[in-house]
Amino acid sequence: MEEQTVLIKLNTEEQLTVPKELLISNSPVFKNLFVDLKFDEHVIDDFSPGSVKHFLTVLENKSLGDIEDKMFRELHKLGTAFEVDWLKKSCRDWLKKKMESASSQEDKIYLFEECWFIADKLKDEDVMNDLVSVMAHKNNSLLLSHYLSDMSNVKEAQIDVLLKLAGRDVELFLNIVRQNLRGQKTLDSKLRYILDNMNLAACSEINEELYLEVMDTVSELPEISANDLKWAYKLITNTARAVRSRKKDKIERTTELYETRKYLGLFKNCRTVTDITKAVSEDRVTSMFVVIDLLLELLFSHTSTKEELQFFIKTLTEACVDKQIQKVSRQYLHTIISGLRYSNPEQSKPLITLLTEIDKSEEMCTYNENVTIKRHKVITITKYKEYKHLYIFKHPLSVACTKFDSKCGFILKDSIHDYNRTYKLCTDKYEYKDTGIHLHNVISAGDMYLYSTDTGTCEGKQITVAGWWMWWKDWLPHITDWKFTGEYYIAYNVSDYLVAKR
């Protein structure tokens, strides 16, 4: 039987004869045109001929292959316009890999422009969220300066993204604001927008002198309007209140990180997903890491309906926003999801679906609000009974530390007594003697989640799992060669010190 073909007309009046099956098998849009509506030709005149030809080659090969940067936008637009889902996904996977490897200013500007185009023109913010998630922990100072040294063309929605990409570099943003204030007589609306959306409490704590200089400059602008002056004074007052509140929280910092009996009691009391949400609302759970622990235990032996899990996500999101609890790191969550894919599919599918929904939530999951700290050293005090775990960590508020004989960090004391294990933050200076580490009083156990990693072999592949309790021995019983990697980690919550207001 002769192969059926259709005509694709380009904007140069050139016509391409294309196998009909190639188009309709990849695109529901083409299927509607050439099967349902029975057209035998279609004009694609809003793309360059080279882009359309490349698009058809990609469809024929069923693979994106290696593409140049300049081809990404057109191929992604074509994949979106004609609803070629696999091509759209391949384009986004390509872009995400580029995000992960980006180091030069040129690459970062390219990525920002492409992600902004998709968000602004295609009304899809997922890729921009990916950009923030992947790059916020990198040094983006040159990228920020590129867009903010002259704010005449930058949009407020772009400023929102740039604030997030600044991560914890509050001094950089304060200096950008100071630079833009030079020679000004009135307050620019975009500068006001930046200050309104910055975490000024963190700015004040980290570099009070620079913060006060910026706010003094704003208040003393020669032709500042009465409305802007009133706004500036209110902003200064609100920031002062926030700083006082934060100082109070630090005074009330916690030293207890973990106790077996309390942890098991929490598991015992959370026998439904509703119980977990209630525990968050009542401040008995203050970390999404612990929520994941509870879900791994609960859904191994209990089932919940699809409707119950959907309602759980909705109510948990609301509770997380209300309480501003520690978000779970996406890197950590991805490790768990990857491990669960080797478990019984029928049993793990609801949990994987639930964890994937959590992964999508900016209220519950993050790439940059936790710092992952690998254990530096362990000191045995009494074998099988008491240990010291040493971690090196420079807290955002200890950036101006002048101690050079030891490193900033903290020590966790691990004690085992009557089958009850506890981890506590050491706060006594005596505990730090001759350890090479010193403690700053801003460190709090309440900002920490402790976990370890194991490795095992499945289907000839080595897989790594992570968590505090060994959920993998329940969910993956067919893997019997688990080995402790010897690595303990702390996920330390630094969300209070990000440039963007939470």
Side-chain angles (χ1 to χ4, degrees), residues 336-370:
I336 291 177
I337 293 173
S338 296
L340 286 170
R341 296 196 191 283
Y342 291 92
S343 62
N344 180 340
E346 186 176 339
Q347 183 183 25
S348 62
K349 185 177 179 180
L351 178 57
I352 291 175
T353 301
L354 182 61
L355 296 182
T356 302
E357 286 301 307
I358 291 174
D359 183 31
K360 295 176 184 177
S361 170
E362 295 303 314
E363 287 76 26
M364 294 186 278
C365 206
T366 181
Y367 261 108
N368 66 309
E369 292 187 19
N370 298 308

PDB file of all heavy atoms in Angstrom, residues 336-370:
ATOM      1  N   ILE A 336      14.792   8.935  47.917  1.00  0.00           N
ATOM      2  CA  ILE A 336      13.785   8.013  48.458  1.00  0.00           C
ATOM      3  C   ILE A 336      12.883   7.484  47.348  1.00  0.00           C
ATOM      4  O   ILE A 336      12.625   6.274  47.265  1.00  0.00           O
ATOM      5  CB  ILE A 336      12.951   8.721  49.548  1.00  0.00           C
ATOM      6  CG1 ILE A 336      13.830   8.983  50.779  1.00  0.00           C
ATOM      7  CG2 ILE A 336      11.730   7.893  49.927  1.00  0.00           C
ATOM      8  CD1 ILE A 336      13.146   9.740  51.888  1.00  0.00           C
ATOM      9  N   ILE A 337      12.415   8.377  46.479  1.00  0.00           N
ATOM     10  CA  ILE A 337      11.535   7.949  45.384  1.00  0.00           C
ATOM     11  C   ILE A 337      12.254   6.957  44.477  1.00  0.00           C
ATOM     12  O   ILE A 337      11.684   5.930  44.066  1.00  0.00           O
ATOM     13  CB  ILE A 337      11.042   9.168  44.578  1.00  0.00           C
ATOM     14  CG1 ILE A 337      10.115  10.037  45.441  1.00  0.00           C
ATOM     15  CG2 ILE A 337      10.309   8.724  43.312  1.00  0.00           C
ATOM     16  CD1 ILE A 337       9.714  11.361  44.799  1.00  0.00           C
ATOM     17  N   SER A 338      13.521   7.226  44.177  1.00  0.00           N
ATOM     18  CA  SER A 338      14.304   6.316  43.318  1.00  0.00           C
ATOM     19  C   SER A 338      14.415   4.939  43.960  1.00  0.00           C
ATOM     20  O   SER A 338      14.303   3.914  43.281  1.00  0.00           O
ATOM     21  CB  SER A 338      15.701   6.895  43.067  1.00  0.00           C
ATOM     22  OG  SER A 338      15.619   8.095  42.340  1.00  0.00           O
ATOM     23  N   GLY A 339      14.635   4.900  45.277  1.00  0.00           N
ATOM     24  CA  GLY A 339      14.725   3.622  45.977  1.00  0.00           C
ATOM     25  C   GLY A 339      13.405   2.867  45.963  1.00  0.00           C
ATOM     26  O   GLY A 339      13.370   1.642  45.748  1.00  0.00           O
ATOM     27  N   LEU A 340      12.305   3.581  46.159  1.00  0.00           N
ATOM     28  CA  LEU A 340      10.983   2.944  46.191  1.00  0.00           C
ATOM     29  C   LEU A 340      10.600   2.329  44.855  1.00  0.00           C
ATOM     30  O   LEU A 340       9.756   1.419  44.808  1.00  0.00           O
ATOM     31  CB  LEU A 340       9.926   3.960  46.621  1.00  0.00           C
ATOM     32  CG  LEU A 340       9.905   4.341  48.104  1.00  0.00           C
ATOM     33  CD1 LEU A 340       8.985   5.525  48.345  1.00  0.00           C
ATOM     34  CD2 LEU A 340       9.477   3.152  48.958  1.00  0.00           C
ATOM     35  N   ARG A 341      11.186   2.799  43.774  1.00  0.00           N
ATOM     36  CA  ARG A 341      10.855   2.251  42.453  1.00  0.00           C
ATOM     37  C   ARG A 341      11.305   0.791  42.323  1.00  0.00           C
ATOM     38  O   ARG A 341      10.880   0.084  41.399  1.00  0.00           O
ATOM     39  CB  ARG A 341      11.464   3.106  41.347  1.00  0.00           C
ATOM     40  CG  ARG A 341      10.895   4.530  41.309  1.00  0.00           C
ATOM     41  CD  ARG A 341      11.185   5.246  40.015  1.00  0.00           C
ATOM     42  NE  ARG A 341      10.854   6.664  40.099  1.00  0.00           N
ATOM     43  CZ  ARG A 341       9.633   7.175  40.034  1.00  0.00           C
ATOM     44  NH1 ARG A 341       8.612   6.349  39.882  1.00  0.00           N
ATOM     45  NH2 ARG A 341       9.429   8.473  40.121  1.00  0.00           N
ATOM     46  N   TYR A 342      12.164   0.338  43.224  1.00  0.00           N
ATOM     47  CA  TYR A 342      12.613  -1.059  43.210  1.00  0.00           C
ATOM     48  C   TYR A 342      11.754  -1.921  44.132  1.00  0.00           C
ATOM     49  O   TYR A 342      12.016  -3.117  44.288  1.00  0.00           O
ATOM     50  CB  TYR A 342      14.078  -1.154  43.645  1.00  0.00           C
ATOM     51  CG  TYR A 342      15.039  -0.555  42.634  1.00  0.00           C
ATOM     52  CD1 TYR A 342      15.424   0.774  42.720  1.00  0.00           C
ATOM     53  CD2 TYR A 342      15.547  -1.326  41.581  1.00  0.00           C
ATOM     54  CE1 TYR A 342      16.301   1.330  41.794  1.00  0.00           C
ATOM     55  CE2 TYR A 342      16.407  -0.784  40.647  1.00  0.00           C
ATOM     56  CZ  TYR A 342      16.787   0.547  40.761  1.00  0.00           C
ATOM     57  OH  TYR A 342      17.646   1.093  39.835  1.00  0.00           O
ATOM     58  N   SER A 343      10.725  -1.348  44.745  1.00  0.00           N
ATOM     59  CA  SER A 343       9.863  -2.103  45.656  1.00  0.00           C
ATOM     60  C   SER A 343       8.677  -2.690  44.908  1.00  0.00           C
ATOM     61  O   SER A 343       8.542  -2.521  43.686  1.00  0.00           O
ATOM     62  CB  SER A 343       9.386  -1.188  46.788  1.00  0.00           C
ATOM     63  OG  SER A 343       8.609  -0.126  46.269  1.00  0.00           O
ATOM     64  N   ASN A 344       7.791  -3.356  45.633  1.00  0.00           N
ATOM     65  CA  ASN A 344       6.583  -3.934  45.047  1.00  0.00           C
ATOM     66  C   ASN A 344       5.730  -2.812  44.455  1.00  0.00           C
ATOM     67  O   ASN A 344       5.204  -1.975  45.196  1.00  0.00           O
ATOM     68  CB  ASN A 344       5.797  -4.675  46.139  1.00  0.00           C
ATOM     69  CG  ASN A 344       4.521  -5.308  45.613  1.00  0.00           C
ATOM     70  OD1 ASN A 344       4.007  -4.932  44.569  1.00  0.00           O
ATOM     71  ND2 ASN A 344       4.024  -6.287  46.339  1.00  0.00           N
ATOM     72  N   PRO A 345       5.560  -2.758  43.128  1.00  0.00           N
ATOM     73  CA  PRO A 345       4.857  -1.624  42.493  1.00  0.00           C
ATOM     74  C   PRO A 345       3.437  -1.427  43.020  1.00  0.00           C
ATOM     75  O   PRO A 345       2.991  -0.299  43.212  1.00  0.00           O
ATOM     76  CB  PRO A 345       4.855  -1.994  41.006  1.00  0.00           C
ATOM     77  CG  PRO A 345       5.948  -2.984  40.846  1.00  0.00           C
ATOM     78  CD  PRO A 345       6.029  -3.730  42.134  1.00  0.00           C
ATOM     79  N   GLU A 346       2.729  -2.525  43.249  1.00  0.00           N
ATOM     80  CA  GLU A 346       1.346  -2.420  43.715  1.00  0.00           C
ATOM     81  C   GLU A 346       1.278  -1.748  45.091  1.00  0.00           C
ATOM     82  O   GLU A 346       0.382  -0.951  45.373  1.00  0.00           O
ATOM     83  CB  GLU A 346       0.712  -3.811  43.768  1.00  0.00           C
ATOM     84  CG  GLU A 346      -0.771  -3.780  44.100  1.00  0.00           C
ATOM     85  CD  GLU A 346      -1.393  -5.158  44.053  1.00  0.00           C
ATOM     86  OE1 GLU A 346      -0.824  -6.059  43.398  1.00  0.00           O
ATOM     87  OE2 GLU A 346      -2.456  -5.341  44.667  1.00  0.00           O
ATOM     88  N   GLN A 347       2.260  -2.057  45.933  1.00  0.00           N
ATOM     89  CA  GLN A 347       2.271  -1.498  47.280  1.00  0.00           C
ATOM     90  C   GLN A 347       2.797  -0.063  47.301  1.00  0.00           C
ATOM     91  O   GLN A 347       2.289   0.788  48.026  1.00  0.00           O
ATOM     92  CB  GLN A 347       3.139  -2.372  48.194  1.00  0.00           C
ATOM     93  CG  GLN A 347       3.152  -1.910  49.644  1.00  0.00           C
ATOM     94  CD  GLN A 347       4.084  -2.746  50.502  1.00  0.00           C
ATOM     95  OE1 GLN A 347       5.043  -3.335  49.991  1.00  0.00           O
ATOM     96  NE2 GLN A 347       3.817  -2.812  51.789  1.00  0.00           N
ATOM     97  N   SER A 348       3.824   0.214  46.497  1.00  0.00           N
ATOM     98  CA  SER A 348       4.507   1.509  46.593  1.00  0.00           C
ATOM     99  C   SER A 348       3.916   2.595  45.697  1.00  0.00           C
ATOM    100  O   SER A 348       4.209   3.774  45.887  1.00  0.00           O
ATOM    101  CB  SER A 348       5.992   1.346  46.255  1.00  0.00           C
ATOM    102  OG  SER A 348       6.161   0.882  44.923  1.00  0.00           O
ATOM    103  N   LYS A 349       3.085   2.227  44.734  1.00  0.00           N
ATOM    104  CA  LYS A 349       2.567   3.222  43.788  1.00  0.00           C
ATOM    105  C   LYS A 349       1.859   4.393  44.470  1.00  0.00           C
ATOM    106  O   LYS A 349       2.126   5.558  44.146  1.00  0.00           O
ATOM    107  CB  LYS A 349       1.640   2.555  42.777  1.00  0.00           C
ATOM    108  CG  LYS A 349       1.168   3.519  41.686  1.00  0.00           C
ATOM    109  CD  LYS A 349       0.302   2.815  40.653  1.00  0.00           C
ATOM    110  CE  LYS A 349      -0.179   3.815  39.593  1.00  0.00           C
ATOM    111  NZ  LYS A 349      -1.030   3.140  38.572  1.00  0.00           N
ATOM    112  N   PRO A 350       0.953   4.158  45.450  1.00  0.00           N
ATOM    113  CA  PRO A 350       0.297   5.302  46.110  1.00  0.00           C
ATOM    114  C   PRO A 350       1.292   6.208  46.825  1.00  0.00           C
ATOM    115  O   PRO A 350       1.151   7.443  46.790  1.00  0.00           O
ATOM    116  CB  PRO A 350      -0.660   4.639  47.107  1.00  0.00           C
ATOM    117  CG  PRO A 350      -0.884   3.261  46.572  1.00  0.00           C
ATOM    118  CD  PRO A 350       0.401   2.869  45.938  1.00  0.00           C
ATOM    119  N   LEU A 351       2.307   5.619  47.453  1.00  0.00           N
ATOM    120  CA  LEU A 351       3.299   6.422  48.165  1.00  0.00           C
ATOM    121  C   LEU A 351       4.162   7.219  47.193  1.00  0.00           C
ATOM    122  O   LEU A 351       4.424   8.410  47.413  1.00  0.00           O
ATOM    123  CB  LEU A 351       4.185   5.530  49.046  1.00  0.00           C
ATOM    124  CG  LEU A 351       5.303   6.255  49.806  1.00  0.00           C
ATOM    125  CD1 LEU A 351       4.738   7.366  50.690  1.00  0.00           C
ATOM    126  CD2 LEU A 351       6.114   5.269  50.644  1.00  0.00           C
ATOM    127  N   ILE A 352       4.596   6.589  46.104  1.00  0.00           N
ATOM    128  CA  ILE A 352       5.406   7.301  45.108  1.00  0.00           C
ATOM    129  C   ILE A 352       4.602   8.458  44.514  1.00  0.00           C
ATOM    130  O   ILE A 352       5.130   9.565  44.339  1.00  0.00           O
ATOM    131  CB  ILE A 352       5.881   6.342  44.004  1.00  0.00           C
ATOM    132  CG1 ILE A 352       6.913   5.355  44.569  1.00  0.00           C
ATOM    133  CG2 ILE A 352       6.482   7.116  42.835  1.00  0.00           C
ATOM    134  CD1 ILE A 352       7.364   4.287  43.590  1.00  0.00           C
ATOM    135  N   THR A 353       3.329   8.216  44.232  1.00  0.00           N
ATOM    136  CA  THR A 353       2.463   9.283  43.701  1.00  0.00           C
ATOM    137  C   THR A 353       2.360  10.432  44.703  1.00  0.00           C
ATOM    138  O   THR A 353       2.440  11.611  44.329  1.00  0.00           O
ATOM    139  CB  THR A 353       1.060   8.726  43.398  1.00  0.00           C
ATOM    140  OG1 THR A 353       1.171   7.668  42.449  1.00  0.00           O
ATOM    141  CG2 THR A 353       0.156   9.819  42.839  1.00  0.00           C
ATOM    142  N   LEU A 354       2.196  10.088  45.984  1.00  0.00           N
ATOM    143  CA  LEU A 354       2.081  11.105  47.030  1.00  0.00           C
ATOM    144  C   LEU A 354       3.379  11.892  47.168  1.00  0.00           C
ATOM    145  O   LEU A 354       3.363  13.132  47.244  1.00  0.00           O
ATOM    146  CB  LEU A 354       1.732  10.427  48.360  1.00  0.00           C
ATOM    147  CG  LEU A 354       1.525  11.340  49.569  1.00  0.00           C
ATOM    148  CD1 LEU A 354       0.368  12.298  49.332  1.00  0.00           C
ATOM    149  CD2 LEU A 354       1.267  10.506  50.819  1.00  0.00           C
ATOM    150  N   LEU A 355       4.513  11.209  47.190  1.00  0.00           N
ATOM    151  CA  LEU A 355       5.803  11.889  47.323  1.00  0.00           C
ATOM    152  C   LEU A 355       6.093  12.757  46.097  1.00  0.00           C
ATOM    153  O   LEU A 355       6.717  13.818  46.220  1.00  0.00           O
ATOM    154  CB  LEU A 355       6.926  10.863  47.524  1.00  0.00           C
ATOM    155  CG  LEU A 355       6.855  10.022  48.807  1.00  0.00           C
ATOM    156  CD1 LEU A 355       8.052   9.085  48.887  1.00  0.00           C
ATOM    157  CD2 LEU A 355       6.795  10.905  50.039  1.00  0.00           C
ATOM    158  N   THR A 356       5.644  12.324  44.932  1.00  0.00           N
ATOM    159  CA  THR A 356       5.818  13.121  43.717  1.00  0.00           C
ATOM    160  C   THR A 356       5.014  14.409  43.800  1.00  0.00           C
ATOM    161  O   THR A 356       5.468  15.466  43.351  1.00  0.00           O
ATOM    162  CB  THR A 356       5.397  12.304  42.475  1.00  0.00           C
ATOM    163  OG1 THR A 356       6.184  11.099  42.412  1.00  0.00           O
ATOM    164  CG2 THR A 356       5.619  13.096  41.197  1.00  0.00           C
ATOM    165  N   GLU A 357       3.808  14.338  44.392  1.00  0.00           N
ATOM    166  CA  GLU A 357       3.007  15.551  44.598  1.00  0.00           C
ATOM    167  C   GLU A 357       3.699  16.499  45.571  1.00  0.00           C
ATOM    168  O   GLU A 357       3.697  17.717  45.375  1.00  0.00           O
ATOM    169  CB  GLU A 357       1.612  15.177  45.124  1.00  0.00           C
ATOM    170  CG  GLU A 357       0.693  14.561  44.082  1.00  0.00           C
ATOM    171  CD  GLU A 357       0.470  15.495  42.903  1.00  0.00           C
ATOM    172  OE1 GLU A 357       0.086  16.658  43.125  1.00  0.00           O
ATOM    173  OE2 GLU A 357       0.686  15.057  41.755  1.00  0.00           O
ATOM    174  N   ILE A 358       4.293  15.954  46.618  1.00  0.00           N
ATOM    175  CA  ILE A 358       5.047  16.779  47.576  1.00  0.00           C
ATOM    176  C   ILE A 358       6.234  17.433  46.880  1.00  0.00           C
ATOM    177  O   ILE A 358       6.548  18.608  47.100  1.00  0.00           O
ATOM    178  CB  ILE A 358       5.503  15.922  48.777  1.00  0.00           C
ATOM    179  CG1 ILE A 358       4.290  15.519  49.625  1.00  0.00           C
ATOM    180  CG2 ILE A 358       6.533  16.663  49.637  1.00  0.00           C
ATOM    181  CD1 ILE A 358       4.595  14.548  50.746  1.00  0.00           C
ATOM    182  N   ASP A 359       6.881  16.676  45.991  1.00  0.00           N
ATOM    183  CA  ASP A 359       8.033  17.188  45.242  1.00  0.00           C
ATOM    184  C   ASP A 359       7.664  18.414  44.406  1.00  0.00           C
ATOM    185  O   ASP A 359       8.474  19.314  44.201  1.00  0.00           O
ATOM    186  CB  ASP A 359       8.578  16.068  44.349  1.00  0.00           C
ATOM    187  CG  ASP A 359       9.814  16.478  43.574  1.00  0.00           C
ATOM    188  OD1 ASP A 359      10.584  17.310  44.071  1.00  0.00           O
ATOM    189  OD2 ASP A 359      10.009  15.954  42.462  1.00  0.00           O
ATOM    190  N   LYS A 360       6.418  18.456  43.931  1.00  0.00           N
ATOM    191  CA  LYS A 360       5.963  19.567  43.095  1.00  0.00           C
ATOM    192  C   LYS A 360       5.642  20.820  43.908  1.00  0.00           C
ATOM    193  O   LYS A 360       5.496  21.906  43.342  1.00  0.00           O
ATOM    194  CB  LYS A 360       4.715  19.156  42.305  1.00  0.00           C
ATOM    195  CG  LYS A 360       4.933  18.050  41.289  1.00  0.00           C
ATOM    196  CD  LYS A 360       3.604  17.653  40.649  1.00  0.00           C
ATOM    197  CE  LYS A 360       3.771  16.480  39.692  1.00  0.00           C
ATOM    198  NZ  LYS A 360       2.450  16.063  39.147  1.00  0.00           N
ATOM    199  N   SER A 361       5.501  20.663  45.216  1.00  0.00           N
ATOM    200  CA  SER A 361       5.027  21.759  46.056  1.00  0.00           C
ATOM    201  C   SER A 361       6.161  22.633  46.564  1.00  0.00           C
ATOM    202  O   SER A 361       7.070  22.148  47.247  1.00  0.00           O
ATOM    203  CB  SER A 361       4.245  21.198  47.258  1.00  0.00           C
ATOM    204  OG  SER A 361       3.981  22.205  48.205  1.00  0.00           O
ATOM    205  N   GLU A 362       6.111  23.925  46.258  1.00  0.00           N
ATOM    206  CA  GLU A 362       7.106  24.866  46.770  1.00  0.00           C
ATOM    207  C   GLU A 362       6.879  25.156  48.252  1.00  0.00           C
ATOM    208  O   GLU A 362       7.772  25.687  48.918  1.00  0.00           O
ATOM    209  CB  GLU A 362       7.047  26.173  45.974  1.00  0.00           C
ATOM    210  CG  GLU A 362       7.439  26.037  44.512  1.00  0.00           C
ATOM    211  CD  GLU A 362       8.837  25.464  44.335  1.00  0.00           C
ATOM    212  OE1 GLU A 362       9.768  25.919  45.020  1.00  0.00           O
ATOM    213  OE2 GLU A 362       8.993  24.546  43.515  1.00  0.00           O
ATOM    214  N   GLU A 363       5.697  24.833  48.776  1.00  0.00           N
ATOM    215  CA  GLU A 363       5.406  25.049  50.196  1.00  0.00           C
ATOM    216  C   GLU A 363       5.993  23.943  51.069  1.00  0.00           C
ATOM    217  O   GLU A 363       6.218  24.132  52.262  1.00  0.00           O
ATOM    218  CB  GLU A 363       3.885  25.105  50.434  1.00  0.00           C
ATOM    219  CG  GLU A 363       3.221  26.369  49.947  1.00  0.00           C
ATOM    220  CD  GLU A 363       3.049  26.371  48.427  1.00  0.00           C
ATOM    221  OE1 GLU A 363       2.985  25.271  47.840  1.00  0.00           O
ATOM    222  OE2 GLU A 363       2.993  27.464  47.837  1.00  0.00           O
ATOM    223  N   MET A 364       6.253  22.760  50.460  1.00  0.00           N
ATOM    224  CA  MET A 364       6.717  21.615  51.243  1.00  0.00           C
ATOM    225  C   MET A 364       8.116  21.139  50.869  1.00  0.00           C
ATOM    226  O   MET A 364       8.754  20.415  51.634  1.00  0.00           O
ATOM    227  CB  MET A 364       5.734  20.448  51.095  1.00  0.00           C
ATOM    228  CG  MET A 364       4.367  20.724  51.691  1.00  0.00           C
ATOM    229  SD  MET A 364       3.281  19.283  51.646  1.00  0.00           S
ATOM    230  CE  MET A 364       2.670  19.361  49.961  1.00  0.00           C
ATOM    231  N   CYS A 365       8.576  21.523  49.693  1.00  0.00           N
ATOM    232  CA  CYS A 365       9.817  20.955  49.160  1.00  0.00           C
ATOM    233  C   CYS A 365      10.734  22.071  48.660  1.00  0.00           C
ATOM    234  O   CYS A 365      10.267  23.127  48.226  1.00  0.00           O
ATOM    235  CB  CYS A 365       9.453  20.009  48.021  1.00  0.00           C
ATOM    236  SG  CYS A 365      10.630  18.700  47.726  1.00  0.00           S
ATOM    237  N   THR A 366      12.038  21.853  48.718  1.00  0.00           N
ATOM    238  CA  THR A 366      12.975  22.913  48.339  1.00  0.00           C
ATOM    239  C   THR A 366      14.279  22.329  47.832  1.00  0.00           C
ATOM    240  O   THR A 366      14.637  21.192  48.153  1.00  0.00           O
ATOM    241  CB  THR A 366      13.265  23.830  49.541  1.00  0.00           C
ATOM    242  OG1 THR A 366      14.170  24.870  49.149  1.00  0.00           O
ATOM    243  CG2 THR A 366      13.899  23.057  50.697  1.00  0.00           C
ATOM    244  N   TYR A 367      14.982  23.130  47.035  1.00  0.00           N
ATOM    245  CA  TYR A 367      16.345  22.795  46.662  1.00  0.00           C
ATOM    246  C   TYR A 367      17.355  23.573  47.502  1.00  0.00           C
ATOM    247  O   TYR A 367      18.470  23.113  47.709  1.00  0.00           O
ATOM    248  CB  TYR A 367      16.600  23.126  45.186  1.00  0.00           C
ATOM    249  CG  TYR A 367      16.494  21.947  44.251  1.00  0.00           C
ATOM    250  CD1 TYR A 367      15.424  21.830  43.381  1.00  0.00           C
ATOM    251  CD2 TYR A 367      17.467  20.958  44.225  1.00  0.00           C
ATOM    252  CE1 TYR A 367      15.324  20.760  42.502  1.00  0.00           C
ATOM    253  CE2 TYR A 367      17.370  19.883  43.358  1.00  0.00           C
ATOM    254  CZ  TYR A 367      16.297  19.789  42.495  1.00  0.00           C
ATOM    255  OH  TYR A 367      16.210  18.722  41.632  1.00  0.00           O
ATOM    256  N   ASN A 368      16.971  24.765  47.956  1.00  0.00           N
ATOM    257  CA  ASN A 368      17.992  25.665  48.489  1.00  0.00           C
ATOM    258  C   ASN A 368      17.758  26.158  49.915  1.00  0.00           C
ATOM    259  O   ASN A 368      18.558  26.933  50.420  1.00  0.00           O
ATOM    260  CB  ASN A 368      18.099  26.894  47.569  1.00  0.00           C
ATOM    261  CG  ASN A 368      16.848  27.745  47.572  1.00  0.00           C
ATOM    262  OD1 ASN A 368      15.748  27.232  47.383  1.00  0.00           O
ATOM    263  ND2 ASN A 368      17.001  29.032  47.759  1.00  0.00           N
ATOM    264  N   GLU A 369      16.691  25.714  50.583  1.00  0.00           N
ATOM    265  CA  GLU A 369      16.439  26.216  51.927  1.00  0.00           C
ATOM    266  C   GLU A 369      17.103  25.381  53.011  1.00  0.00           C
ATOM    267  O   GLU A 369      17.036  25.722  54.193  1.00  0.00           O
ATOM    268  CB  GLU A 369      14.928  26.318  52.179  1.00  0.00           C
ATOM    269  CG  GLU A 369      14.275  27.393  51.337  1.00  0.00           C
ATOM    270  CD  GLU A 369      12.819  27.616  51.683  1.00  0.00           C
ATOM    271  OE1 GLU A 369      12.394  27.210  52.783  1.00  0.00           O
ATOM    272  OE2 GLU A 369      12.102  28.210  50.855  1.00  0.00           O
ATOM    273  N   ASN A 370      17.716  24.260  52.628  1.00  0.00           N
ATOM    274  CA  ASN A 370      18.484  23.450  53.572  1.00  0.00           C
ATOM    275  C   ASN A 370      19.928  23.331  53.095  1.00  0.00           C
ATOM    276  O   ASN A 370      20.173  23.200  51.897  1.00  0.00           O
ATOM    277  CB  ASN A 370      17.895  22.038  53.699  1.00  0.00           C
ATOM    278  CG  ASN A 370      16.487  22.038  54.234  1.00  0.00           C
ATOM    279  OD1 ASN A 370      16.212  22.627  55.276  1.00  0.00           O
ATOM    280  ND2 ASN A 370      15.576  21.380  53.530  1.00  0.00           N
TER     281      ASN A 370
END
